[in-house]
Amino acid sequence: MTTDQTMADQAATPAPAFVPTCDLFDRFKDDARYLLPGFRDFGAVTRFSGAVVTVKCLEDNSRVKELLATPGAGRVLVVDGAGSLRCALMGDMIAASAVKNGWAGVVIWGCVRDVAELARLPLGIKALASIPRASTRRDQGLVDVAIELPGAAVLPGDILFADEDGIVLLTAEQTVALK
């Protein structure tokens, strides 16, 4: 299946209504995957959910910029930036593009910048930290691949729930039970 087809399938999957992460974990127990603590909120939205699209990149936000410029349909972009604290993978202009295109949120295992502007955007944004240095675009990065973030594997098409308590991931099949 092509990346375009995978993304079209994910966009066609309606995002479930938001459910608090503590309630999800209580309901699914060991079948729920969760990311380890360390992610901070940077967007004006602190509670969000949606089907996952993944990017794996190291200090190059080319794929992040490209994806967030496409229709988000309420999805969440999860970025494996290898936990790098050396540069930002998203700033205010890319985040504004995500808002314009209907993305529910962005989770970055790495850094962001333009924090004051991000805090005003109606977008869920979780990342490790902020740094003023932008990434260097080298047209690198992988889209819609399985990634491993601290605490859990993240797969394209998973359903991500994020709030002030943390980040929980369920399969699309598990979320059917929530309806």
Side-chain angles (χ1 to χ4, degrees), residues 33-89:
R33 289 170 285 138
Y34 58 93
L35 298 184
L36 294 178
F39 291 89
R40 295 176 35 206
D41 286 307
F42 289 95
V45 176
T46 58
R47 295 177 171 208
F48 58 97
S49 62
V52 168
V53 176
T54 61
V55 170
K56 184 176 179 102
C57 59
L58 178 62
E59 300 176 4
D60 178 350
N61 69 351
S62 299
R63 301 289 89 80
V64 174
K65 181 180 181 191
E66 286 171 6
L67 282 169
L68 294 176
T70 66
R75 293 175 295 165
V76 176
L77 183 63
V78 180
V79 181
D80 176 355
S84 173
L85 302 176
R86 292 186 290 258
C87 68
L89 293 175

Side-chain angles (χ1 to χ4, degrees), residues 8-177:
D9 291 345
Q10 290 168 1
T13 304
F18 178 80
V19 179
T21 58
C22 292
D23 293 348
L24 288 171
F25 192 80
D26 289 347
R27 180 169 182 174
F28 289 96
K29 307 269 186 241
D30 292 335
D31 290 330
R33 289 170 285 138
Y34 58 93
L35 298 184
L36 294 178
F39 291 89
R40 295 176 35 206
D41 286 307
F42 289 95
V45 176
T46 58
R47 295 177 171 208
F48 58 97
S49 62
V52 168
V53 176
T54 61
V55 170
K56 184 176 179 102
C57 59
L58 178 62
E59 300 176 4
D60 178 350
N61 69 351
S62 299
R63 301 289 89 80
V64 174
K65 181 180 181 191
E66 286 171 6
L67 282 169
L68 294 176
T70 66
R75 293 175 295 165
V76 176
L77 183 63
V78 180
V79 181
D80 176 355
S84 173
L85 302 176
R86 292 186 290 258
C87 68
L89 293 175
M90 186 175 74
D92 63 333
M93 292 188 299
I94 293 174
S97 177
V99 170
K100 175 183 167 204
N101 288 298
W103 289 83
V106 181
V107 175
I108 300 176
W109 187 34
C111 292
V112 294
R113 65 188 227 151
D114 303 312
V115 173
E117 290 83 6
L118 295 181
R120 291 192 286 271
L121 292 174
L123 180 68
I125 302 170
K126 287 191 177 279
L128 297 180
S130 63
I131 190 167
R133 182 176 181 246
S135 75
T136 301
R137 291 199 189 111
R138 298 178 303 277
D139 201 31
Q140 297 176 349
L142 302 172
V143 175
D144 275 332
V145 295
I147 58 177
E148 187 77 31
L149 298 188
V154 182
L155 305 173
D158 280 345
I159 308 300
L160 181 143
F161 296 83
D163 63 18
E164 300 85 350
D165 289 310
I167 301 168
V168 171
L169 296 149
L170 299 177
T171 65
E173 294 78 23
Q174 287 172 310
T175 61
V176 170

